[in-house]
Amino acid sequence: MSLEKRLRDRGRKLLMPYVTGGITDDWPGYLRSFAAAGADAIELGLPFSDPTLDGATIQEASAAALARGATVHGILAEIEGLDLDVPLVASTYYNLVLRDGTSAFCAALRQAGVTGLIVPDLPLEEAGELADAAAATGVDLALLASPSTPPPRLYEIARRSRGFVYAVSRMGTTGERAALAESAGALAERIKQVGDRPVLLGFGISTPEQAVEAARRADGVVVGAAIMRRILDGAGPDDVGAYVTALRRALDQESDERR
């Protein structure tokens, strides 16, 4: 079953929490806690030494994972065989894809049970080779759109993205924010006007209230830095799972009230 179908079949506002692979000895425990807390998909960061789109928190997490000896293939080996019943979406930078080659990289993802991929530094004009390799192995390559994306380019992103479209809520890097950017909702609506893929809003969503606000105009949210800040500060799977549960409950309560 494709990633997009699995997301649509959830029948609710979508929640995709993020974790950096290899961040702790027991890091797969976070995947299990996310699934138990009601995640609809999980974004799995494959750490890279120069994460240009990530803010201070994810950079710190990537550096910590790499210092522990985390590698792409080591992380994938640890998740192979996990029975989560929640789609896994890998995210990383194109250098790591090119090191293996697009076909081998996508095949390794699929072998490990990953069904989606995000490569934030891959330009639309250069995405063809990876998109073909991903499609051939059953991995959905999700593309990103930002508030500054012009209409013709936004149309192409919506058309060529698979699984979902990742809407970057603000210009800048990832990181916790005190308030959701005003550009977030408008971007989600612009994407919906030119395509029919689910739209997930990310970058700066830190609280249940912000998640609800974002999901009113998008199909769901991605939460990364707020989770990784907790993990870096020592929170274990149960504690982080409780935070994801709070996000899930807020999204569901909002949906129930609007029916």
Short mmCIF file of all heavy atoms in Angstrom, two decimals, residues 142-182:
data_model
loop_
_atom_site.label_atom_id
_atom_site.label_comp_id
_atom_site.label_asym_id
_atom_site.label_seq_id
_atom_site.Cartn_x
_atom_site.Cartn_y
_atom_site.Cartn_z
N ALA A 142 8.60 12.71 -1.22
CA ALA A 142 7.79 13.89 -0.91
C ALA A 142 8.63 15.14 -1.12
O ALA A 142 9.77 15.22 -0.64
CB ALA A 142 7.28 13.82 0.52
N LEU A 143 8.09 16.10 -1.82
CA LEU A 143 8.80 17.34 -2.12
C LEU A 143 8.35 18.46 -1.18
O LEU A 143 7.27 18.39 -0.58
CB LEU A 143 8.56 17.75 -3.57
CG LEU A 143 8.95 16.70 -4.62
CD1 LEU A 143 8.64 17.22 -6.02
CD2 LEU A 143 10.42 16.30 -4.49
N LEU A 144 9.19 19.48 -1.05
CA LEU A 144 8.93 20.58 -0.15
C LEU A 144 8.52 21.83 -0.91
O LEU A 144 9.00 22.08 -2.02
CB LEU A 144 10.17 20.90 0.69
CG LEU A 144 10.56 19.91 1.78
CD1 LEU A 144 11.30 18.72 1.20
CD2 LEU A 144 11.42 20.58 2.85
N ALA A 145 7.66 22.62 -0.28
CA ALA A 145 7.27 23.92 -0.81
C ALA A 145 7.37 24.93 0.32
O ALA A 145 7.13 24.61 1.49
CB ALA A 145 5.84 23.89 -1.35
N SER A 146 7.73 26.16 -0.03
CA SER A 146 7.89 27.21 0.98
C SER A 146 6.99 28.39 0.66
O SER A 146 6.43 28.48 -0.44
CB SER A 146 9.35 27.67 1.01
OG SER A 146 9.63 28.53 -0.10
N PRO A 147 6.85 29.33 1.60
CA PRO A 147 6.00 30.50 1.33
C PRO A 147 6.45 31.31 0.12
O PRO A 147 5.64 32.03 -0.46
CB PRO A 147 6.13 31.31 2.63
CG PRO A 147 6.41 30.29 3.68
CD PRO A 147 7.29 29.27 3.01
N SER A 148 7.72 31.23 -0.26
CA SER A 148 8.21 32.02 -1.39
C SER A 148 8.12 31.28 -2.72
O SER A 148 8.49 31.84 -3.76
CB SER A 148 9.67 32.43 -1.15
OG SER A 148 10.52 31.29 -1.15
N THR A 149 7.64 30.05 -2.71
CA THR A 149 7.54 29.29 -3.96
C THR A 149 6.55 29.94 -4.91
O THR A 149 5.37 30.10 -4.57
CB THR A 149 7.11 27.84 -3.68
OG1 THR A 149 8.02 27.24 -2.76
CG2 THR A 149 7.10 27.02 -4.97
N PRO A 150 6.97 30.30 -6.13
CA PRO A 150 6.05 30.95 -7.07
C PRO A 150 5.02 29.96 -7.61
O PRO A 150 5.26 28.74 -7.60
CB PRO A 150 6.97 31.46 -8.17
CG PRO A 150 8.18 30.59 -8.10
CD PRO A 150 8.35 30.21 -6.66
N PRO A 151 3.87 30.44 -8.08
CA PRO A 151 2.78 29.56 -8.51
C PRO A 151 3.17 28.47 -9.52
O PRO A 151 2.80 27.30 -9.33
CB PRO A 151 1.75 30.53 -9.08
CG PRO A 151 1.97 31.78 -8.31
CD PRO A 151 3.46 31.86 -8.10
N PRO A 152 3.90 28.77 -10.60
CA PRO A 152 4.22 27.69 -11.55
C PRO A 152 5.05 26.57 -10.91
O PRO A 152 4.83 25.39 -11.18
CB PRO A 152 5.00 28.41 -12.65
CG PRO A 152 4.60 29.84 -12.55
CD PRO A 152 4.40 30.08 -11.09
N ARG A 153 5.99 26.96 -10.06
CA ARG A 153 6.83 25.97 -9.39
C ARG A 153 6.03 25.18 -8.35
O ARG A 153 6.21 23.98 -8.19
CB ARG A 153 8.01 26.67 -8.74
CG ARG A 153 9.08 25.72 -8.19
CD ARG A 153 10.24 26.51 -7.60
NE ARG A 153 11.31 25.65 -7.16
CZ ARG A 153 12.28 25.21 -7.94
NH1 ARG A 153 12.30 25.54 -9.23
NH2 ARG A 153 13.23 24.43 -7.48
N LEU A 154 5.12 25.88 -7.68
CA LEU A 154 4.28 25.21 -6.69
C LEU A 154 3.42 24.14 -7.36
O LEU A 154 3.23 23.04 -6.83
CB LEU A 154 3.39 26.23 -5.98
CG LEU A 154 2.68 25.74 -4.73
CD1 LEU A 154 3.68 25.46 -3.62
CD2 LEU A 154 1.66 26.78 -4.26
N TYR A 155 2.91 24.46 -8.53
CA TYR A 155 2.12 23.48 -9.29
C TYR A 155 2.96 22.24 -9.60
O TYR A 155 2.48 21.11 -9.45
CB TYR A 155 1.60 24.12 -10.58
CG TYR A 155 0.99 23.11 -11.53
CD1 TYR A 155 -0.31 22.64 -11.33
CD2 TYR A 155 1.71 22.61 -12.61
CE1 TYR A 155 -0.87 21.71 -12.19
CE2 TYR A 155 1.17 21.68 -13.47
CZ TYR A 155 -0.12 21.23 -13.26
OH TYR A 155 -0.67 20.29 -14.10
N GLU A 156 4.20 22.43 -10.04
CA GLU A 156 5.06 21.29 -10.37
C GLU A 156 5.39 20.47 -9.13
O GLU A 156 5.44 19.23 -9.18
CB GLU A 156 6.35 21.78 -11.04
CG GLU A 156 6.17 22.16 -12.49
CD GLU A 156 5.68 20.99 -13.34
OE1 GLU A 156 6.29 19.91 -13.27
OE2 GLU A 156 4.67 21.15 -14.05
N ILE A 157 5.63 21.14 -8.02
CA ILE A 157 5.92 20.42 -6.77
C ILE A 157 4.72 19.58 -6.38
O ILE A 157 4.85 18.40 -6.03
CB ILE A 157 6.29 21.42 -5.67
CG1 ILE A 157 7.68 22.01 -5.95
CG2 ILE A 157 6.25 20.76 -4.29
CD1 ILE A 157 8.05 23.16 -5.04
N ALA A 158 3.53 20.17 -6.43
CA ALA A 158 2.32 19.43 -6.06
C ALA A 158 2.08 18.26 -7.01
O ALA A 158 1.63 17.18 -6.59
CB ALA A 158 1.12 20.37 -6.05
N ARG A 159 2.39 18.45 -8.28
CA ARG A 159 2.16 17.39 -9.27
C ARG A 159 3.15 16.24 -9.12
O ARG A 159 2.78 15.08 -9.25
CB ARG A 159 2.27 17.99 -10.68
CG ARG A 159 1.98 17.00 -11.81
CD ARG A 159 2.10 17.66 -13.17
NE ARG A 159 3.48 18.01 -13.48
CZ ARG A 159 4.36 17.15 -14.01
NH1 ARG A 159 4.00 15.90 -14.29
NH2 ARG A 159 5.59 17.55 -14.29
N ARG A 160 4.40 16.55 -8.82
CA ARG A 160 5.44 15.54 -8.81
C ARG A 160 5.68 14.92 -7.45
O ARG A 160 6.33 13.86 -7.34
CB ARG A 160 6.74 16.14 -9.35
CG ARG A 160 6.64 16.54 -10.82
CD ARG A 160 7.85 17.30 -11.31
NE ARG A 160 9.09 16.52 -11.17
CZ ARG A 160 10.28 16.98 -11.52
NH1 ARG A 160 10.40 18.21 -12.00
NH2 ARG A 160 11.34 16.22 -11.36
N SER A 161 5.21 15.55 -6.39
CA SER A 161 5.38 15.00 -5.05
C SER A 161 4.57 13.72 -4.90
O SER A 161 3.50 13.56 -5.49
CB SER A 161 4.95 16.02 -4.00
OG SER A 161 5.34 15.61 -2.71
N ARG A 162 5.07 12.81 -4.11
CA ARG A 162 4.38 11.56 -3.83
C ARG A 162 4.23 11.37 -2.32
O ARG A 162 5.08 11.77 -1.55
CB ARG A 162 5.16 10.36 -4.42
CG ARG A 162 5.21 10.37 -5.95
CD ARG A 162 3.83 10.15 -6.54
NE ARG A 162 3.81 10.18 -8.00
CZ ARG A 162 3.56 11.26 -8.73
NH1 ARG A 162 3.32 12.41 -8.14
NH2 ARG A 162 3.55 11.20 -10.04
N GLY A 163 3.13 10.76 -1.93
CA GLY A 163 2.86 10.56 -0.50
C GLY A 163 2.17 11.75 0.11
O GLY A 163 1.04 11.66 0.59
N PHE A 164 2.84 12.89 0.09
CA PHE A 164 2.30 14.14 0.60
C PHE A 164 3.20 15.26 0.10
O PHE A 164 4.26 15.02 -0.50
CB PHE A 164 2.24 14.13 2.13
CG PHE A 164 3.58 13.96 2.80
CD1 PHE A 164 4.34 15.04 3.20
CD2 PHE A 164 4.10 12.69 3.04
CE1 PHE A 164 5.58 14.89 3.81
CE2 PHE A 164 5.33 12.51 3.65
CZ PHE A 164 6.08 13.61 4.04
N VAL A 165 2.78 16.48 0.34
CA VAL A 165 3.63 17.65 0.10
C VAL A 165 4.01 18.21 1.47
O VAL A 165 3.15 18.42 2.33
CB VAL A 165 2.92 18.73 -0.73
CG1 VAL A 165 3.83 19.95 -0.90
CG2 VAL A 165 2.49 18.18 -2.08
N TYR A 166 5.30 18.44 1.65
CA TYR A 166 5.80 19.00 2.91
C TYR A 166 5.79 20.52 2.76
O TYR A 166 6.58 21.09 2.01
CB TYR A 166 7.21 18.49 3.18
CG TYR A 166 7.72 18.74 4.59
CD1 TYR A 166 8.31 17.72 5.33
CD2 TYR A 166 7.64 20.00 5.18
CE1 TYR A 166 8.80 17.94 6.60
CE2 TYR A 166 8.11 20.24 6.46
CZ TYR A 166 8.69 19.20 7.17
OH TYR A 166 9.17 19.43 8.44
N ALA A 167 4.92 21.17 3.50
CA ALA A 167 4.80 22.63 3.46
C ALA A 167 5.66 23.24 4.56
O ALA A 167 5.43 22.99 5.75
CB ALA A 167 3.35 23.05 3.63
N VAL A 168 6.66 24.00 4.17
CA VAL A 168 7.55 24.67 5.11
C VAL A 168 6.86 25.95 5.57
O VAL A 168 6.65 26.87 4.77
CB VAL A 168 8.91 24.98 4.44
CG1 VAL A 168 9.80 25.75 5.39
CG2 VAL A 168 9.57 23.68 4.00
N SER A 169 6.51 26.02 6.83
CA SER A 169 5.62 27.08 7.31
C SER A 169 6.23 28.46 7.28
O SER A 169 5.51 29.46 7.27
CB SER A 169 5.15 26.76 8.73
OG SER A 169 6.24 26.85 9.64
N ARG A 170 7.56 28.54 7.26
CA ARG A 170 8.20 29.85 7.32
C ARG A 170 9.53 29.78 6.58
O ARG A 170 10.09 28.70 6.39
CB ARG A 170 8.44 30.28 8.78
CG ARG A 170 9.39 29.32 9.51
CD ARG A 170 9.54 29.68 10.98
NE ARG A 170 10.06 31.01 11.17
CZ ARG A 170 11.35 31.31 11.12
NH1 ARG A 170 12.24 30.37 10.83
NH2 ARG A 170 11.75 32.53 11.33
N MET A 171 10.04 30.91 6.15
CA MET A 171 11.35 30.97 5.55
C MET A 171 12.39 30.88 6.66
O MET A 171 12.30 31.58 7.67
CB MET A 171 11.53 32.27 4.76
CG MET A 171 10.53 32.43 3.62
SD MET A 171 10.60 31.09 2.41
CE MET A 171 12.24 31.33 1.76
N GLY A 172 13.37 30.00 6.50
CA GLY A 172 14.38 29.81 7.54
C GLY A 172 14.57 28.35 7.84
O GLY A 172 14.15 27.47 7.08
N THR A 173 15.19 28.06 8.97
CA THR A 173 15.50 26.70 9.34
C THR A 173 14.47 26.15 10.32
O THR A 173 13.60 26.87 10.81
CB THR A 173 16.91 26.63 9.98
OG1 THR A 173 16.93 27.50 11.14
CG2 THR A 173 17.98 27.07 8.99
N THR A 174 14.61 24.86 10.61
CA THR A 174 13.73 24.23 11.59
C THR A 174 14.00 24.81 12.98
O THR A 174 15.03 25.41 13.23
CB THR A 174 13.97 22.71 11.63
OG1 THR A 174 15.32 22.46 12.06
CG2 THR A 174 13.74 22.09 10.28
N GLY A 175 13.06 24.60 13.89
CA GLY A 175 13.26 25.07 15.25
C GLY A 175 11.96 25.44 15.91
O GLY A 175 10.96 25.74 15.24
N GLU A 176 11.95 25.40 17.23
CA GLU A 176 10.76 25.76 17.98
C GLU A 176 10.48 27.25 17.85
O GLU A 176 11.39 28.07 17.77
CB GLU A 176 10.95 25.39 19.46
CG GLU A 176 11.12 23.89 19.69
CD GLU A 176 11.38 23.58 21.15
OE1 GLU A 176 10.40 23.48 21.91
OE2 GLU A 176 12.56 23.43 21.52
N ARG A 177 9.21 27.60 17.85
CA ARG A 177 8.80 28.99 17.72
C ARG A 177 7.69 29.28 18.73
O ARG A 177 6.91 28.40 19.10
CB ARG A 177 8.29 29.29 16.32
CG ARG A 177 9.31 29.09 15.21
CD ARG A 177 10.40 30.15 15.24
NE ARG A 177 11.29 30.07 14.09
CZ ARG A 177 12.37 29.29 14.02
NH1 ARG A 177 12.68 28.51 15.05
NH2 ARG A 177 13.14 29.30 12.96
N ALA A 178 7.61 30.56 19.14
CA ALA A 178 6.58 30.95 20.10
C ALA A 178 5.20 31.00 19.46
O ALA A 178 4.19 30.87 20.15
CB ALA A 178 6.93 32.32 20.70
N ALA A 179 5.17 31.21 18.14
CA ALA A 179 3.89 31.29 17.44
C ALA A 179 4.05 30.73 16.03
O ALA A 179 5.14 30.76 15.46
CB ALA A 179 3.41 32.74 17.38
N LEU A 180 2.97 30.22 15.50
CA LEU A 180 2.97 29.71 14.14
C LEU A 180 3.09 30.88 13.17
O LEU A 180 2.42 31.91 13.33
CB LEU A 180 1.69 28.93 13.88
CG LEU A 180 1.59 28.20 12.53
CD1 LEU A 180 2.57 27.05 12.46
CD2 LEU A 180 0.16 27.70 12.32
N ALA A 181 3.94 30.73 12.18
CA ALA A 181 4.13 31.79 11.19
C ALA A 181 2.82 32.08 10.46
O ALA A 181 2.05 31.16 10.13
CB ALA A 181 5.20 31.40 10.19
N GLU A 182 2.56 33.36 10.19
CA GLU A 182 1.35 33.74 9.48
C GLU A 182 1.30 33.16 8.08
O GLU A 182 0.23 32.94 7.51
CB GLU A 182 1.25 35.27 9.40
CG GLU A 182 1.05 35.95 10.75
CD GLU A 182 0.90 37.44 10.64
OE1 GLU A 182 0.88 37.94 9.48
OE2 GLU A 182 0.79 38.12 11.67
#
